[in-house]
Amino acid sequence: MRWLDEWTVLPLVLLAVMSTYSLVGLVAIWGVRARGPWFLRMAAVLAFPAAWLWTTDRRLCLLFLTQTAVVVLRLGHLQSRDARKKSGAIADSAGQDSGPTGRRFSLRDLLLVFVLLGGVFAMLARLPPHVRWDWYLDVLPGAVLGVFTLVAVRVAHSDRNPWLRAVVLVTAFPALLMGGWLWLAKSARGSWGRAMAVASLVLIAVLPARIYYAEWKAHRLTYPPTLADNGYSDLLRAAETVDDPTVNFATLADDELLTYLNKHAQALDLAAQAVHRPIQAVIYESTNDWQLIAEGKRIRRLSEILAARGRLELDRGRVDEAIPSYLANIELGAGIANGGIMMHDFVGGMCELAGVEGLRKIIARLDDDACRRLAERLAEIDAGREPMENVAAREQFYLAGAYPWKHRLNSLARALFPDEPFTNDRLLEAAGAEKRARLRLLLAHLALRRFWLATNEYPATLGELVPKHLAAVPLDPFADRDLTYKKLSTGYLLYSVGSDRVDDGGAPAKGKPIATGDVVADVVLPD
């Protein structure tokens, strides 16, 4: 089931949204109208929105705090007014001068009020700066939800015709769930009636609890602290100096390409130094998709130049000089995906592909020592990759800050259908697995090249490469088994089953966004 592709899930999504803010409204109503110390009730009421500070969507704290404030202030005012009227009526019936009536507060009460206000200000201080700047995006919807809560209270406690009240609740349907429960709780009689009210309240709380738990789990993995000596900043600096989309490297003659590379030699040297340092993508609180797309385009351009330099060296017969350029592409792509989100991972995959495509053309021209050294570096890159679930969690954290309503829709989908393969998850998983597959195919090709140099033939199985040429047979990231290898009369066939997880006999993958076919990275075999 793909999110937003199935209209059948919308009623359940609407119910989840209504139950969430209905629970907030009911807690606020309880805080005003329940019995017991008022300070403890208000502290419990404020604890509800404060709990969302420990989730990915901290904006909801401001939204629910606004809804709570509207309900508490209005109901508190009405309750105080009713108390004054009641006190005045009692005094009049006794023939006494009522004098000033209403609730009186002591210095202790005043102190407790300031304690609660201090808690509110502490909650607001915990909000990210961009949430405070765009406060109206959450305060206005929160105020509207507070009004719907007051409508639910009015309908539930009105003595008008029940059918009229039902029509009002249906018309103001966001208040339907709250008003229905308050109506039920007010009219409940006996142990069965009270049990039904409690059971229905538990049902209302189930979906908000699932949503909160999903948000809390996602918040446990946030952006890692920025590296002290981060190569990412130097990559961006290098990419900004070569951001020239008008040049088509595929059409440049060798002399023209050499001139272009010499012109940007300083930027390329800076990029080469950066990829030999730890790299980690940087996400700022104000970052959005357009900024990330612009960064991605510049970095891709840089990777194209690195690949073009490798092609130039290869055309000149300098294989040893071509390897560092292609390898830098793979290191660049793997590096910018570290600590980043989905967009970094996709851009990194395209950068890596340029390096993989270059290396697979020259493997058959390498000697044993060059194969060994290259394989060692590729194995380090493969072993150092982040788990894809880290990237997916940070993607949700990024959406919560940059696109809160889009994030909330995703959160609802994940909370309601935790086991469903949503489109973004499948895309991210497929892209990450394809990167791993292509790199592991290169590792296997290098080991097969070394085996052929030693024996002048290819092995019957990949297991024969262990332990002399491989520490272990590379696993297919799309299947719970080794990469597929078949020895042929004129060479061999090596591939991964691909994102469709179906063995297509080595037919190259085609189609988007989820390709069908196998991941193949053939090399030019020696005669």
Side-chain angles (χ1 to χ4, degrees):
M1 181 187 301
R2 287 193 275 180
W3 177 238
L4 295 182
D5 290 344
E6 299 288 343
W7 287 91
T8 54
V9 306
L10 290 182
L12 188 55
V13 169
L14 183 60
L15 178 61
V17 173
M18 291 178 63
S19 62
T20 304
Y21 65 72
S22 293
L23 187 60
V24 177
L26 292 174
V27 169
I29 295 167
W30 168 83
V32 177
R33 298 203 162 178
R35 297 178 180 178
W38 68 268
F39 174 77
L40 295 180
R41 287 185 280 125
M42 288 298 103
V45 168
L46 291 179
F48 194 94
W52 293 89
L53 289 172
W54 281 268
T55 68
T56 57
D57 194 358
R58 287 183 284 176
R59 280 182 173 273
L60 287 176
C61 173
L62 184 56
L63 188 147
F64 292 150
L65 185 61
T66 305
Q67 179 187 357
T68 299
V70 171
V71 175
V72 169
L73 293 176
R74 179 57 179 165
L75 292 185
H77 169 71
L78 293 176
Q79 190 163 294
S80 178
R81 187 188 66 182
D82 293 342
R84 287 196 302 270
K85 288 182 178 179
K86 185 176 181 180
S87 177
I90 294 175
D92 290 342
S93 64
Q96 300 175 354
D97 183 10
S98 61
T101 59
R103 202 167 187 176
R104 298 182 182 181
F105 293 92
S106 63
L107 289 177
R108 174 178 173 275
D109 291 329
L110 187 61
L111 174 63
L112 294 178
V113 168
F114 277 104
V115 170
L116 292 176
L117 288 176
V120 171
F121 286 122
M123 291 162 58
L124 296 177
R126 284 288 307 273
L127 295 173
H130 65 275
V131 177
R132 296 197 294 270
W133 297 332
D134 300 333
W135 57 269
Y136 55 89
L137 297 177
D138 303 291
V139 168
L140 295 181
V144 172
L145 294 180
V147 171
F148 280 123
T149 305
L150 296 175
V151 170
V153 174
R154 183 63 180 270
V155 170
H157 291 84
S158 173
D159 294 327
R160 293 180 179 272
N161 186 294
W163 289 106
L164 178 60
R165 287 188 280 164
V167 169
V168 172
L169 281 180
V170 172
T171 304
F173 71 92
L176 182 61
L177 203 57
M178 279 182 286
W181 187 85
L182 290 171
W183 199 342
L184 173 64
K186 180 185 177 184
S187 59
R189 295 290 183 272
S191 57
W192 278 106
R194 289 190 292 271
M196 287 180 59
V198 171
S200 59
L201 182 61
V202 171
L203 289 176
I204 291 174
V206 166
L207 289 176
R210 289 191 66 173
I211 295 168
Y212 181 85
Y213 180 67
E215 287 290 283
W216 175 79
K217 279 182 61 179
H219 183 63
R220 288 187 300 169
L221 180 68
T222 59
Y223 303 133
T226 306
L227 299 172
D229 184 27
N230 191 358
Y232 186 76
S233 57
D234 282 346
L235 283 177
L236 289 180
R237 285 171 51 205
E240 287 172 357
T241 63
V242 296
D243 187 16
D244 185 0
T246 61
V247 178
N248 184 357
F249 300 112
T251 61
L252 291 182
D254 286 356
D255 291 341
E256 294 174 319
L257 180 57
L258 180 60
T259 301
Y260 185 89
L261 294 175
N262 288 335
K263 178 182 176 182
H264 297 96
Q266 187 174 0
L268 292 175
D269 290 341
L270 182 60
Q273 295 171 15
V275 297
H276 288 97
R277 304 205 312 271
I279 300 175
Q280 178 183 293
V282 178
I283 297 288
Y284 305 101
E285 288 186 338
S286 59
T287 303
N288 55 43
D289 282 358
W290 297 111
Q291 292 171 302
L292 292 177
I293 289 172
E295 282 186 7
K297 286 182 177 179
R298 289 195 291 268
I299 290 177
R300 277 195 65 192
R301 191 65 176 173
L302 183 62
S303 75
E304 291 172 359
I305 297 174
L306 289 170
R309 184 171 68 176
R311 175 174 64 82
L312 180 63
E313 299 293 355
L314 195 58
D315 290 344
R316 296 184 170 193
R318 298 190 292 195
V319 175
D320 290 342
E321 300 296 328
I323 291 176
S325 293
Y326 290 132
L327 186 57
N329 256 317
I330 297 176
E331 291 172 327
L332 184 154
I336 65 171
N338 180 43
I341 59 174
M342 186 181 297
M343 198 171 298
H344 292 103
D345 204 73
F346 285 159
V347 173
M350 289 183 281
C351 296
E352 283 192 52
L353 182 59
V356 169
E357 289 297 304
L359 288 179
R360 73 180 184 86
K361 297 175 183 177
I362 62 176
I363 285 179
R365 300 163 64 177
L366 302 181
D367 60 23
D368 184 80
D369 187 58
C371 287
R372 178 186 56 79
R373 286 186 281 108
L374 180 57
E376 288 175 352
R377 182 60 192 130
L378 293 178
E380 289 176 5
I381 295 173
D382 186 51
R385 293 189 190 276
E386 271 193 305
M388 293 308 298
E389 52 267 26
N390 290 15
V391 182
R394 283 195 300 269
E395 175 73 12
Q396 294 305 308
F397 195 70
Y398 162 71
L399 287 177
Y403 305 97
W405 290 105
K406 180 179 180 181
H407 164 74
R408 287 162 192 171
L409 289 176
N410 289 340
S411 298
L412 283 171
R414 294 173 192 280
L416 298 177
F417 311 103
D419 299 324
E420 291 291 346
F422 297 102
T423 303
N424 280 352
D425 295 337
R426 295 180 63 196
L427 288 174
L428 185 58
E429 180 186 5
E434 184 173 340
K435 290 192 300 182
R436 288 169 169 79
R438 292 188 182 279
L439 210 61
R440 292 174 188 180
L441 288 170
L442 280 186
L443 283 169
H445 281 305
L446 288 166
L448 289 165
R449 169 66 176 168
R450 297 181 66 192
F451 190 94
W452 186 89
L453 289 172
T455 64
N456 204 34
E457 64 177 356
Y458 294 108
T461 65
L462 292 179
E464 296 181 34
L465 303 173
V466 180
K468 187 175 182 180
H469 304 301
L470 281 175
V473 177
L475 294 176
D476 187 340
F478 289 107
D480 189 21
R481 56 183 174 84
D482 300 336
L483 293 172
T484 303
Y485 169 80
K486 299 175 183 178
K487 183 180 179 181
L488 307 176
S489 58
T490 57
Y492 62 85
L493 183 62
L494 180 68
Y495 59 90
S496 161
V497 297
S499 55
D500 62 354
R501 303 182 185 276
V502 176
D503 191 336
D504 296 293
K510 294 183 295 184
K512 291 181 180 181
I514 305 297
T516 56
D518 302 325
V519 179
V520 184
D522 289 333
V523 298
V524 180
L525 299 176
D527 297 331

